[in-house]
Amino acid sequence: MELNPPPPYPGPTDPSQGGVYPPVTVVQDNVYPAPPKYSAAVVQPEIMVVQPPAIQTQPTVMMVNPVVVQPGLTDIPTPMKCTYCQQQIVTTTQHVNGLLVWGSFGVLLIFGIWPCCLIPFCVDSCKDVQHSCPSCKNVLHIYRRM
């Protein structure tokens, strides 16, 4: 294998002989002005304080009805003021079947303990407690076990 150099590039290789390429001339059509000179002083904007016009309002009279918070009613009779007849009473309680009774019945029935599934209907501590007024007989509150 012989090392042969590549053939020479056609044209003059000496730049003094007058190059192949014409000289580049730069033409400037537009002359832009120099940027403006900025001073080191900083101009602060003026602060203007504007007072709003005085508005006179008349005092408003508000009627407020007092809200009476009843004590937490549980499973015992409680003294309170009836919300229907406005008398000071001691509530009467009655035990009624609620969600805890029916849920216990269903669970015992599903597990096949069918003779014992009726026990929650006989136990007052499983039942909900209904508070009512002894004078007007309205239901005031139902204490739910579940």
Side-chain angles (χ1 to χ4, degrees), residues 49-66:
V49 178
V50 178
Q51 298 269 342
I55 299 174
Q56 294 180 352
T57 59
Q58 295 181 354
T60 304
V61 177
M62 210 180 232
M63 299 299 286
V64 179
N65 292 332

mmCIF file of all heavy atoms in Angstrom, residues 49-66:
data_model
loop_
_atom_site.group_PDB
_atom_site.id
_atom_site.type_symbol
_atom_site.label_atom_id
_atom_site.label_comp_id
_atom_site.label_asym_id
_atom_site.label_seq_id
_atom_site.Cartn_x
_atom_site.Cartn_y
_atom_site.Cartn_z
ATOM 1 N N VAL A 49 -51.395 61.189 49.610
ATOM 2 C CA VAL A 49 -52.294 60.621 50.597
ATOM 3 C C VAL A 49 -53.675 61.219 50.352
ATOM 4 O O VAL A 49 -53.846 62.431 50.386
ATOM 5 C CB VAL A 49 -51.826 60.920 52.037
ATOM 6 C CG1 VAL A 49 -52.808 60.372 53.047
ATOM 7 C CG2 VAL A 49 -50.434 60.361 52.243
ATOM 8 N N VAL A 50 -54.639 60.321 50.094
ATOM 9 C CA VAL A 50 -55.999 60.771 49.832
ATOM 10 C C VAL A 50 -56.876 60.318 50.991
ATOM 11 O O VAL A 50 -56.920 59.131 51.304
ATOM 12 C CB VAL A 50 -56.514 60.180 48.493
ATOM 13 C CG1 VAL A 50 -57.948 60.613 48.255
ATOM 14 C CG2 VAL A 50 -55.614 60.612 47.355
ATOM 15 N N GLN A 51 -57.559 61.241 51.597
ATOM 16 C CA GLN A 51 -58.440 60.927 52.710
ATOM 17 C C GLN A 51 -59.818 60.574 52.153
ATOM 18 O O GLN A 51 -60.340 61.296 51.324
ATOM 19 C CB GLN A 51 -58.572 62.128 53.646
ATOM 20 C CG GLN A 51 -57.263 62.540 54.290
ATOM 21 C CD GLN A 51 -57.058 61.832 55.601
ATOM 22 O OE1 GLN A 51 -57.986 61.321 56.174
ATOM 23 N NE2 GLN A 51 -55.814 61.818 56.078
ATOM 24 N N PRO A 52 -60.402 59.431 52.585
ATOM 25 C CA PRO A 52 -61.747 59.113 52.111
ATOM 26 C C PRO A 52 -62.760 60.078 52.729
ATOM 27 O O PRO A 52 -62.537 60.605 53.820
ATOM 28 C CB PRO A 52 -61.971 57.683 52.600
ATOM 29 C CG PRO A 52 -61.056 57.537 53.752
ATOM 30 C CD PRO A 52 -59.870 58.416 53.464
ATOM 31 N N PRO A 53 -63.861 60.298 52.042
ATOM 32 C CA PRO A 53 -64.859 61.202 52.624
ATOM 33 C C PRO A 53 -65.487 60.582 53.869
ATOM 34 O O PRO A 53 -65.630 59.377 53.971
ATOM 35 C CB PRO A 53 -65.898 61.356 51.500
ATOM 36 C CG PRO A 53 -65.707 60.156 50.636
ATOM 37 C CD PRO A 53 -64.257 59.789 50.741
ATOM 38 N N ALA A 54 -65.829 61.401 54.805
ATOM 39 C CA ALA A 54 -66.404 60.926 56.070
ATOM 40 C C ALA A 54 -67.840 60.461 55.823
ATOM 41 O O ALA A 54 -68.648 61.184 55.244
ATOM 42 C CB ALA A 54 -66.371 62.033 57.106
ATOM 43 N N ILE A 55 -68.146 59.248 56.244
ATOM 44 C CA ILE A 55 -69.483 58.691 56.095
ATOM 45 C C ILE A 55 -70.065 58.526 57.487
ATOM 46 O O ILE A 55 -69.469 57.872 58.345
ATOM 47 C CB ILE A 55 -69.446 57.342 55.360
ATOM 48 C CG1 ILE A 55 -68.882 57.528 53.970
ATOM 49 C CG2 ILE A 55 -70.832 56.735 55.308
ATOM 50 C CD1 ILE A 55 -68.682 56.229 53.227
ATOM 51 N N GLN A 56 -71.222 59.104 57.678
ATOM 52 C CA GLN A 56 -71.866 58.994 58.973
ATOM 53 C C GLN A 56 -72.954 57.933 58.875
ATOM 54 O O GLN A 56 -73.761 57.951 57.947
ATOM 55 C CB GLN A 56 -72.461 60.326 59.401
ATOM 56 C CG GLN A 56 -71.414 61.386 59.663
ATOM 57 C CD GLN A 56 -72.032 62.704 60.100
ATOM 58 O OE1 GLN A 56 -73.233 62.867 60.061
ATOM 59 N NE2 GLN A 56 -71.187 63.626 60.531
ATOM 60 N N THR A 57 -72.948 57.025 59.797
ATOM 61 C CA THR A 57 -73.972 55.986 59.821
ATOM 62 C C THR A 57 -74.760 56.092 61.115
ATOM 63 O O THR A 57 -74.246 56.546 62.142
ATOM 64 C CB THR A 57 -73.345 54.588 59.742
ATOM 65 O OG1 THR A 57 -72.462 54.403 60.846
ATOM 66 C CG2 THR A 57 -72.587 54.387 58.444
ATOM 67 N N GLN A 58 -75.998 55.663 61.044
ATOM 68 C CA GLN A 58 -76.828 55.662 62.227
ATOM 69 C C GLN A 58 -76.625 54.359 62.973
ATOM 70 O O GLN A 58 -76.380 53.321 62.361
ATOM 71 C CB GLN A 58 -78.286 55.825 61.836
ATOM 72 C CG GLN A 58 -78.581 57.169 61.200
ATOM 73 C CD GLN A 58 -80.050 57.308 60.839
ATOM 74 O OE1 GLN A 58 -80.804 56.364 60.971
ATOM 75 N NE2 GLN A 58 -80.433 58.490 60.395
ATOM 76 N N PRO A 59 -76.716 54.380 64.289
ATOM 77 C CA PRO A 59 -76.545 53.138 65.049
ATOM 78 C C PRO A 59 -77.677 52.161 64.715
ATOM 79 O O PRO A 59 -78.824 52.543 64.517
ATOM 80 C CB PRO A 59 -76.607 53.575 66.506
ATOM 81 C CG PRO A 59 -77.268 54.914 66.487
ATOM 82 C CD PRO A 59 -76.967 55.529 65.154
ATOM 83 N N THR A 60 -77.319 50.879 64.622
ATOM 84 C CA THR A 60 -78.275 49.842 64.292
ATOM 85 C C THR A 60 -78.697 49.135 65.574
ATOM 86 O O THR A 60 -77.854 48.735 66.375
ATOM 87 C CB THR A 60 -77.634 48.818 63.338
ATOM 88 O OG1 THR A 60 -77.142 49.524 62.199
ATOM 89 C CG2 THR A 60 -78.634 47.784 62.894
ATOM 90 N N VAL A 61 -79.985 48.983 65.739
ATOM 91 C CA VAL A 61 -80.511 48.294 66.906
ATOM 92 C C VAL A 61 -80.812 46.863 66.481
ATOM 93 O O VAL A 61 -81.529 46.626 65.514
ATOM 94 C CB VAL A 61 -81.791 48.980 67.433
ATOM 95 C CG1 VAL A 61 -82.363 48.200 68.591
ATOM 96 C CG2 VAL A 61 -81.484 50.406 67.830
ATOM 97 N N MET A 62 -80.246 45.908 67.190
ATOM 98 C CA MET A 62 -80.398 44.508 66.835
ATOM 99 C C MET A 62 -81.125 43.789 67.957
ATOM 100 O O MET A 62 -80.727 43.877 69.114
ATOM 101 C CB MET A 62 -79.012 43.887 66.635
ATOM 102 C CG MET A 62 -78.945 42.797 65.666
ATOM 103 S SD MET A 62 -77.239 42.251 65.613
ATOM 104 C CE MET A 62 -77.008 42.326 63.887
ATOM 105 N N MET A 63 -82.184 43.096 67.606
ATOM 106 C CA MET A 63 -82.921 42.314 68.587
ATOM 107 C C MET A 63 -82.328 40.911 68.618
ATOM 108 O O MET A 63 -82.290 40.238 67.597
ATOM 109 C CB MET A 63 -84.397 42.243 68.219
ATOM 110 C CG MET A 63 -85.088 43.611 68.159
ATOM 111 S SD MET A 63 -85.072 44.478 69.716
ATOM 112 C CE MET A 63 -86.270 43.570 70.605
ATOM 113 N N VAL A 64 -81.864 40.490 69.767
ATOM 114 C CA VAL A 64 -81.240 39.187 69.914
ATOM 115 C C VAL A 64 -82.101 38.335 70.833
ATOM 116 O O VAL A 64 -82.394 38.731 71.961
ATOM 117 C CB VAL A 64 -79.818 39.319 70.491
ATOM 118 C CG1 VAL A 64 -79.184 37.960 70.662
ATOM 119 C CG2 VAL A 64 -78.967 40.190 69.597
ATOM 120 N N ASN A 65 -82.490 37.192 70.316
ATOM 121 C CA ASN A 65 -83.227 36.243 71.140
ATOM 122 C C ASN A 65 -82.227 35.345 71.850
ATOM 123 O O ASN A 65 -81.317 34.807 71.205
ATOM 124 C CB ASN A 65 -84.168 35.397 70.294
ATOM 125 C CG ASN A 65 -85.293 36.230 69.713
ATOM 126 O OD1 ASN A 65 -85.672 37.233 70.290
ATOM 127 N ND2 ASN A 65 -85.807 35.816 68.570
ATOM 128 N N PRO A 66 -82.364 35.172 73.147
ATOM 129 C CA PRO A 66 -81.401 34.317 73.849
ATOM 130 C C PRO A 66 -81.572 32.850 73.438
ATOM 131 O O PRO A 66 -82.677 32.374 73.221
ATOM 132 C CB PRO A 66 -81.752 34.519 75.322
ATOM 133 C CG PRO A 66 -83.169 34.963 75.324
ATOM 134 C CD PRO A 66 -83.374 35.723 74.041
#
